[in-house]
């Protein structure tokens, strides 16, 4: 006979529960989703391009990249890293507009 | 000949030539200049009527080049823009203008010209101001688009996050009773030191929820992962419009050594079986044959079976199991029982791992949530029978024992796999051992080198074979 709803059978009491061990991701790097890391890197690259080359569209794409990275982030992800990439992209946008307040022209 | 009207015209165009201030010094004052404030016009007094007419019709910027040839005539101080030939051209130009003027009898309308002044020139062309010089909001439409896109992304993030959270809660509410009656510990996030039941899901991130259950006979513990779609990421939502996917519930039951006999078995969709056979270490080693159709055992045609030996399939696929699987075939992605489970094949830089990966007796279940992405919290109830199947499987596997023949075959298989592995890595293991020995020697030599002289000499005397280079 299996378990009884509403009461704990004796055999369950004798068993000692095992604690949860979060699976270590170092052993299975292939299982990890690389999206947040790629997006973080892309965001930084676009921010630097936007700042150095004064390209507005680069800065805007950087903002999008940092948002996407945040949405896909894992729980173990460092929030400091996320915030820093976000701040960098925002500063790229702001600097581009301070240097050149003209509106962005579409590529077509 | 100088017409009176000509003089009037020149007088009217005086402001245009006010910028020719630099020519002031070059003009002499003649008695006719008494009427003019600007000495520039002394020049024009001397010139013939043609030039005066020309000055009237040519647009203002062209005045300076045309006057320059006259300058050159008197004083060679001004450079001609067009070169000396320009002089001749302007003369002919002037003659053309003059002829036109005479034909149109424009001089009758002097009064009008008096009023209009500049308007006698070429008609004004009104250019539109380029967008970047305007100061209106409309010119910033690209920026507004960008900000709107960001807002849409944020809205989708909030909505997606909430949807996933609602689905997770609905799943837990429908399964809570079953789990709590079967496991002493339901919910543990690994942070507290004692194994105390938290009684709720552990949220790993916005689309993955974990639940650890433990405290039951026949198993060490059960980890349930609710792997929802990334509804919080707008990019993912758009990608899913092209390629539909569904939420998944993954259950991993880890067993103690005495809870399971030695066999490897898997059943699931054909696609999943093909993929697992390639990816999973144990399935590729122990289940070499191609996946067999499930129809032989009474399962739907869409499902396939991977097994170590026929006896295992017969043992696992009893009536109740077949019943469970057939009724919920649409929700089953894969079921994998293995005593040699070590996860997917690991690719290392050296090409082969140096020792066999650690194995654990495991039961793995992957279920698809119905709805193909458009799930509602109600759909979570349909997964409850599958959890019953999981519990049933745990107890069944405990009872399932191979007969003597099967056990011998299984043992032979495992020995074979181990032997193959050792053979493949033999060369590498030797090399690794050799490098380790060399490293030790080198470290020893380094240590000796770093010692002071007298001590070193003493050591050298003691160990003549460790000669420094």
């Amino acid at each position: 006979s299996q378990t009884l709803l509403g009461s704990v059978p004796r055999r369950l009491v004798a068993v000692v529960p095992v604690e949860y061990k979060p699976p270590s991701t170092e052993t299975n790097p292939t299982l990890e989703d690389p999206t947040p890391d790629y997006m973080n890197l892309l965001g930084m690259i676009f921010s630097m391009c936007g700042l150095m080359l004064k390209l507005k569209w680069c800065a805007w794409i950087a903002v999008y990249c940092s948002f996407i990275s945040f949405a896909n982030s894992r729980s173990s992800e460092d929030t400091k890293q996320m915030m820093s990439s976000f701040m960098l992209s925002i500063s790229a946008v702001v600097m581009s507009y301070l240097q050149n307040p003209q509106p962005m022209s579409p590529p077509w | 000949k100088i017409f009176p009207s000509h003089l009037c015209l020149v007088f009217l165009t005086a402001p245009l030539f006010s910028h020719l201030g630099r020519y002031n010094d070059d003009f002499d004052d003649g008695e006719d200049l008494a009427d003019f404030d600007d000495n520039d016009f002394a020049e024009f007094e001397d010139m013939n009527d043609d030039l005066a007419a020309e000055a009237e019709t040519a647009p203002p910027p062209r005045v300076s080049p045309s006057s320059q040839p006259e300058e050159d005539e008197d004083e060679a101080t001004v450079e001609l823009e067009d070169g000396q030939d320009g002089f001749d051209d302007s003369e002919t130009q002037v003659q053309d203008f003059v002829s036109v003027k005479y034909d149109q009898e424009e001089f009758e309308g002097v009064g009008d010209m008096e009023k209009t002044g500049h308007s006698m020139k070429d008609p004004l062309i009104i250019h539109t101001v380029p967008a970047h010089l305007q100061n209106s909001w409309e010119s910033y439409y690209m920026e507004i688009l960008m900000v709107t896109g960001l807002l849409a992304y944020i809205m989708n993030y909030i909505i997606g996050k909430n949807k996933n959270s609602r689905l997770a809660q609905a799943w837990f509410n429908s399964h809570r009773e079953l789990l709590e009656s079967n496991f002493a510990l339901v919910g543990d996030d690994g942070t507290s030191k004692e194994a105390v039941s938290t009684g709720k899901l552990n949220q790993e991130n916005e689309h993955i929820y974990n639940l650890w259950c433990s405290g039951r006979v026949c198993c060490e513990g059960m980890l349930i992962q609710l792997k929802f779609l990334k509804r919080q990421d707008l990019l993912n939502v758009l990608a899913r419009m092209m390629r539909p996917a569904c939420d998944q519930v993954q259950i991993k039951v880890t067993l103690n050594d005495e809870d399971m006999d030695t066999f490897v078995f898997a059943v699931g969709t054909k696609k999943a079986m093909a993929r697992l056979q390639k990816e999973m270490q144990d399935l590729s080693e122990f289940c070499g044959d191609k996946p067999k159709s499930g129809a032989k055992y009474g399962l739907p045609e869409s499902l396939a079976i991977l097994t170590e030996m026929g006896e295992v399939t017969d043992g696992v696929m009893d009536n109740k199991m077949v019943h469970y699987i057939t009724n919920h075939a649409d929700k089953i992605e894969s079921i994998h029982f293995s005593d040699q489970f070590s996860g997917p094949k690991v690719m290392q830089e050296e090409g082969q791992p140096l020792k066999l990966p650690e194995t654990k007796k495991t039961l793995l279940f992957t279920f698809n949530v119905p709805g193909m992405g458009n799930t509602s919290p109600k759909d979570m109830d349909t997964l409850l029978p599958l959890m019953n199947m999981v519990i049933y499987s745990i107890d069944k596997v405990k009872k399932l024992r191979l007969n003597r023949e099967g056990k011998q075959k299984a043992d032979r298989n495992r020995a074979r796999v181990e032997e193959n592995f050792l053979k493949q890595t033999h060369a590498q293991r030797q090399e690794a051992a050799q490098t380790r020995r060399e490293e030790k020697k080198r470290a020893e030599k380094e240590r000796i080198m770093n010692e002071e002289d007298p001590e070193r000499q003493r050591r050298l005397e003691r160990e003549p074979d460790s000669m420094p280079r």
Side-chain angles (χ1 to χ4, degrees):
Chain A
S1 64
Q2 300 298 315
T3 58
L4 301 162
L5 282 175
S7 70
V8 177
R10 256 180 316 167
R11 61 199 177 100
L12 278 183
V13 178
V15 178
V16 176
V18 177
E19 273 167 22
Y20 173 58
K21 279 185 289 288
S24 60
T25 46
E26 292 93 47
T27 53
N28 286 329
T30 48
L31 292 180
E32 282 216 7
D33 176 26
T35 306
D37 298 324
Y38 280 149
M39 280 296 150
N40 225 351
L41 183 66
L42 263 182
M44 298 228 194
I45 292 174
F46 274 115
S47 307
M48 296 315 290
C49 280
L51 274 171
M52 302 294 175
L53 306 175
K54 300 196 178 107
L55 296 170
K56 291 197 179 78
W57 57 268
C58 272
W60 281 110
I61 292 176
V63 175
Y64 271 94
C65 282
S66 75
F67 266 85
I68 294 170
S69 173
F70 170 72
N72 283 289
S73 66
R74 302 179 281 273
S75 63
S76 55
E77 201 87 10
D78 205 3
T79 49
K80 282 200 286 287
Q81 168 97 337
M82 211 59 60
M83 286 306 291
S84 77
S85 98
F86 185 67
M87 287 296 147
L88 182 65
S89 58
I90 296 279
S91 72
V93 170
V94 169
M95 287 309 295
S96 301
Y97 279 94
L98 281 178
Q99 286 165 353
N100 188 9
Q102 293 163 10
M104 197 163 62
S105 55
W108 52 86
Chain B
K1 291 182 285 181
I2 298 172
F3 286 78
S5 41
H6 281 253
L7 284 175
C8 290
L9 286 171
V10 173
F11 177 66
L12 284 167
T13 54
L16 288 172
F17 304 127
S18 60
H19 74 280
L20 294 174
R22 57 186 164 121
Y23 300 122
N24 279 349
D25 299 335
D26 299 326
F27 288 90
D28 301 319
D29 289 333
E31 63 270 23
D32 290 339
L33 288 177
D35 295 333
F36 298 99
D37 294 335
D38 200 343
N39 289 335
D40 289 350
F41 297 104
E43 183 73 14
F44 294 103
E45 276 302 298
D46 299 329
M47 290 187 305
N48 51 20
D49 306 338
D50 305 327
L51 269 172
E54 186 244 351
E56 159 220 333
T57 52
R62 287 217 268 142
V63 170
S64 23
S66 60
S67 62
Q68 277 165 5
E70 316 317 311
E71 282 287 310
D72 282 337
E73 234 185 355
D74 296 338
E75 327 233 352
T77 51
V78 178
E79 297 100 50
L80 198 57
E81 279 181 25
D82 305 325
Q84 282 293 350
D85 297 334
F87 177 66
D88 296 329
D89 289 341
S90 61
E91 278 279 308
T92 47
Q93 240 175 355
V94 161
Q95 278 158 2
D96 289 339
F97 280 122
V98 165
S99 54
V100 165
K101 284 296 160 231
Y102 278 105
D103 289 343
Q104 290 175 356
E105 297 181 349
E106 201 168 350
F107 303 109
E108 288 174 13
V110 172
D112 291 337
M113 281 191 272
E114 217 171 339
K115 279 184 241 138
T116 51
H118 288 272
S119 63
M120 70 186 87
K121 302 292 172 210
D122 293 325
L124 285 175
I125 303 163
I126 299 173
H127 295 279
T128 53
V129 179
H132 63 277
L133 296 174
Q134 283 174 2
N135 246 343
S136 73
W137 286 110
E138 290 155 9
S139 53
Y140 286 90
Y141 67 93
M142 281 296 286
E143 281 76 10
I144 292 171
L145 261 175
M146 288 291 189
V147 172
T148 313
L150 276 179
L151 285 175
Y153 193 90
I154 293 171
M155 287 294 298
N156 173 255
Y157 176 81
I158 294 171
I159 293 171
K161 190 165 87 106
N162 285 341
K163 174 97 192 258
N164 280 349
S165 174
R166 276 205 315 273
L167 288 174
Q169 209 48 51
W171 180 91
F172 188 55
N173 289 339
S174 70
H175 287 73
R176 182 202 301 262
E177 224 175 293
L178 177 63
L179 292 173
E180 281 178 352
S181 64
N182 272 290
F183 293 91
L185 168 70
V186 173
D188 182 16
D189 50 11
T191 52
S192 60
K193 288 201 178 43
E194 310 101 40
V196 174
S197 193
T198 61
K200 53 185 201 305
L201 293 166
N202 175 24
Q203 181 174 4
E204 194 179 300
N205 56 33
E206 307 301 343
H207 62 283
I208 297 183
Y209 291 79
N210 294 338
L211 186 70
W212 170 253
C213 304
S214 185
R216 190 183 194 278
V217 290
C218 311
C219 71
E220 188 187 67
M222 174 168 79
L223 177 65
I224 303 173
Q225 274 198 320
L226 302 175
K227 289 198 169 159
F228 293 118
L229 301 166
K230 285 187 184 175
R231 291 186 176 83
Q232 78 275 11
D233 178 18
L234 187 59
L235 274 191
N236 206 285
V237 170
L238 296 172
R240 266 191 295 117
M241 289 184 186
M242 321 281 181
R243 209 162 19 117
C246 51
D247 305 301
Q248 281 191 337
V249 177
Q250 286 184 356
I251 300 172
K252 182 172 172 178
V253 184
T254 41
L255 306 167
N256 299 315
D257 277 336
E258 65 274 14
D259 296 329
M260 184 175 171
D261 205 353
T262 55
F263 64 89
V264 177
F265 171 81
V267 60
T269 62
K270 290 203 181 101
K271 245 172 113 175
M273 287 298 104
R275 185 175 44 88
L276 286 179
Q277 191 175 33
K278 273 203 299 268
E279 281 178 5
M280 289 296 170
Q281 177 88 9
D282 52 347
L283 286 175
S284 62
E285 281 175 352
F286 292 95
C287 305
D289 304 328
K290 266 166 37 124
K292 292 199 259 295
S293 168
K296 271 204 305 185
Y297 295 90
L299 298 175
E301 183 61 37
S302 58
L303 300 178
I305 294 176
L306 279 171
T307 182
E308 193 178 348
M309 57 188 101
E311 189 198 330
V312 169
T313 317
D314 294 329
V316 172
M317 288 288 129
D318 61 354
N319 283 336
K320 200 152 178 205
M321 250 341 230
V322 171
H323 188 72
Y324 267 126
I325 294 177
T326 315
N327 283 352
H328 304 282
D330 57 330
K331 296 191 267 287
I332 293 175
E333 170 85 4
S334 70
I335 298 174
H336 179 189
F337 300 165
S338 173
D339 73 306
Q340 296 282 316
F341 181 74
S342 60
K345 287 192 201 173
V346 179
M347 292 297 142
Q348 286 192 351
E349 290 99 47
E350 299 96 59
Q352 286 276 3
L354 284 181
K355 57 185 187 71
L356 274 173
E358 292 234 351
T359 61
K360 187 94 179 127
K361 296 194 176 182
T362 315
L363 310 179
L364 290 149
F365 302 81
T366 304
F367 300 133
N368 295 329
V369 177
M372 205 65 177
N374 295 326
T375 41
S376 70
K378 288 193 303 294
D379 294 331
M380 291 303 175
D381 292 336
T382 60
L383 295 170
L384 194 56
L386 290 169
M387 188 56 72
N388 280 321
M389 181 179 79
V390 170
I391 306 284
Y392 174 75
S393 305
I394 297 174
D395 291 331
K396 174 152 192 70
V397 158
K398 170 84 178 181
K399 290 196 296 256
L400 180 64
R401 295 280 171 241
L402 300 167
N403 60 22
R404 200 157 51 118
E405 210 178 283
K407 190 85 179 98
Q408 278 176 350
K409 220 167 147 188
D411 289 338
R412 271 206 304 274
N413 282 340
R414 276 146 192 76
R416 170 181 51 86
V417 166
E418 196 172 335
E419 206 181 302
N420 282 343
F421 179 79
L422 289 175
K423 260 195 273 192
Q424 278 171 341
T425 57
H426 180 70
Q428 267 147 320
R429 276 184 299 118
Q430 266 195 332
E431 213 179 291
Q434 178 73 4
T435 22
R436 266 202 306 272
R437 262 178 276 147
E438 280 175 15
E439 276 297 320
K440 236 177 16 176
K441 261 199 213 162
R442 208 177 321 156
E444 188 70 31
K445 281 186 206 161
E446 284 291 323
R447 205 160 50 84
I448 291 167
M449 294 282 275
N450 290 337
E451 293 290 341
E452 291 165 11
D453 275 329
E455 249 193 84
R456 193 204 331 181
Q457 286 177 1
R458 253 183 272 136
R459 209 184 278 265
L460 276 176
E461 285 165 35
R462 264 191 282 130
E463 290 160 283
D465 51 279
S466 320
M467 290 285 286
R469 269 178 275 117

